[in-house]
Amino acid sequence: MIKKFLYSQKVAPYVFVLPFIAVFAIFWAYPLASSVEMSFQHTMLGQEAEWIGFDNYTKLMSDGVFLKAVTNSVVYMALTLVILIPLPMLFAVLINNKFMWGREFFKSTFFFPALTSVVVAGTIFRLMFGEMEGSLINSFLGLFGIEPVKFLKGQVTGFVALLALASWRWIGVNMLYFLSGLKSIPDEYYEAASIDGASSFQKFTMITMPLLKPTTVYVVTISIYAGLAMFIESMMLWNGNNSPKNIGLTIVGYLYRQGIEKNDLGYAAAVGIVLLLIAMIINITQLIFTGTFKKED
């Protein structure tokens, strides 16, 4: 009976998917359900939880520091999309060109920063964008007679440093995604376009971009989440979770401040749920806008 059950073709598919279901339930579904429940409680480590309803969410809506963190995260996410979608796509097209020499070298060079620890990278960029005259960026600006800039003390200049770090780390990763997408486009399309007298720009806009749409949607989706969930880069760049006037504070940074530093786990859980909702709303909106959910004819 047991042998017949194990060798049953009806049972086999469920056996194969069971590990995924178990991991999903233990490490995603259960923590999410616990976080939702905790967000309606006043919970502190070592104390009994107290049910307070929507008080945590009501408090969030009037919390100026939280709204600042949301603004920072959304702006950072939007700016990274402006940089980390078109540039990697352009680099991928250039490297994929059959006349390109040293393509493997450039692939490795662009991807190498992603292998670097974000802690190390953040520390290096903090020194590069330091306010001392001897810092790398200010030394470069000094060549043009520009006075030293306190990059990590201002909102705009602070974001310049953050975006520089993000670009250095992730352009290579996104470029590889686009390279994978380019490999799926048949060369015959470009050959036919060349026979019809299409220019390189026309090939890019009429062939490459439309056929790269699935890859682009995927990269945009993961980039939206990555931008909203950014934390360690900011923490390392400002050498802690307390940047001047919270110019580098993110949603995850605020969650860390409330949950770890202040031990207010219920309030931190509410921050996490709001982050999840923001990410889902933005991603679902862009998926609808790009027609991902439409059925193909």
Side-chain angles (χ1 to χ4, degrees):
M1 184 67 180
I2 297 177
K3 185 177 181 180
K4 183 178 180 181
F5 175 79
L6 292 177
Y7 282 88
S8 172
Q9 292 184 353
K10 293 182 179 180
V11 175
Y14 297 99
V15 174
F16 282 111
V17 300
L18 184 60
F20 167 77
I21 295 175
V23 171
F24 177 82
I26 296 172
F27 295 103
W28 199 89
Y30 175 72
L32 177 60
S34 298
S35 297
V36 172
E37 180 185 12
M38 191 181 297
S39 69
F40 294 102
Q41 300 173 339
H42 175 66
T43 305
M44 302 188 74
L45 195 63
Q47 298 182 13
E48 186 176 352
E50 176 187 357
W51 188 269
I52 57 174
F54 287 92
D55 288 0
N56 284 329
Y57 293 98
T58 303
K59 181 181 177 182
L60 276 179
M61 295 304 101
S62 59
D63 189 336
V65 179
F66 171 72
L67 297 178
K68 173 69 173 177
V70 171
T71 301
N72 288 342
S73 293
V74 172
V75 170
Y76 173 82
M77 178 269 297
L79 293 175
T80 54
L81 290 180
V82 172
I83 297 173
L84 296 179
I85 302 301
L87 286 183
M89 183 187 294
L90 177 61
F91 291 149
V93 171
L94 292 175
I95 290 178
N96 193 58
N97 191 295
K98 60 182 179 180
F99 298 109
M100 182 70 183
W101 57 270
R103 66 179 64 189
E104 298 302 325
F105 168 76
F106 285 107
K107 286 181 187 178
S108 303
T109 302
F110 276 107
F111 186 74
F112 179 77
L115 303 178
T116 307
S117 167
V118 66
V119 175
V120 174
T123 302
I124 292 173
F125 271 74
R126 182 173 73 246
L127 297 175
M128 287 173 53
F129 284 91
E131 57 189 72
M132 299 176 61
E133 293 185 9
S135 63
L136 179 62
I137 304 301
N138 277 325
S139 295
F140 176 76
L141 295 177
L143 298 176
F144 301 94
I146 301 175
E147 295 294 323
V149 178
K150 297 180 179 180
F151 283 96
L152 303 181
K153 296 291 181 64
Q155 183 74 66
V156 176
T157 53
F159 265 87
V160 169
L162 268 177
L163 292 172
L165 175 56
S167 300
W168 180 78
R169 278 182 58 79
W170 300 117
I171 279 181
V173 176
N174 288 355
M175 183 190 73
L176 290 183
Y177 287 135
F178 285 116
L179 277 172
S180 299
L182 288 171
K183 297 298 182 182
S184 66
I185 302 177
D187 292 334
E188 289 79 4
Y189 292 171
Y190 295 104
E191 293 172 359
S194 298
I195 294 174
D196 291 337
S199 65
S200 297
F201 180 76
Q202 289 173 323
K203 293 177 186 177
F204 178 73
T205 55
M206 304 302 293
I207 299 176
T208 304
M209 288 188 66
L211 295 180
L212 271 182
K213 180 182 176 181
T215 305
T216 304
V217 171
Y218 172 75
V219 175
V220 169
T221 302
I222 62 174
S223 297
I224 288 173
Y225 170 76
L228 292 174
M230 187 272 291
F231 168 56
I232 301 179
E233 290 89 340
S234 174
M235 191 171 189
M236 295 310 303
L237 200 59
W238 275 277
N239 197 24
N241 198 31
N242 295 293
S243 53
K245 298 181 180 179
N246 294 312
I247 59 176
L249 183 65
T250 64
I251 301 177
V252 178
Y254 191 67
L255 186 155
Y256 179 89
R257 179 182 296 180
Q258 295 298 324
I260 304 300
E261 296 177 358
K262 297 185 178 181
N263 193 28
D264 193 347
L265 300 180
Y267 194 56
V271 174
I273 297 302
V274 171
L275 170 59
L276 175 63
L277 292 175
I278 292 174
M280 288 182 62
I281 291 171
I282 295 176
N283 260 323
I284 291 175
T285 301
Q286 70 92 9
L287 290 173
I288 293 174
F289 180 77
T290 54
T292 304
F293 295 134
K294 291 183 178 178
K295 293 183 179 180
E296 296 183 1
D297 297 330

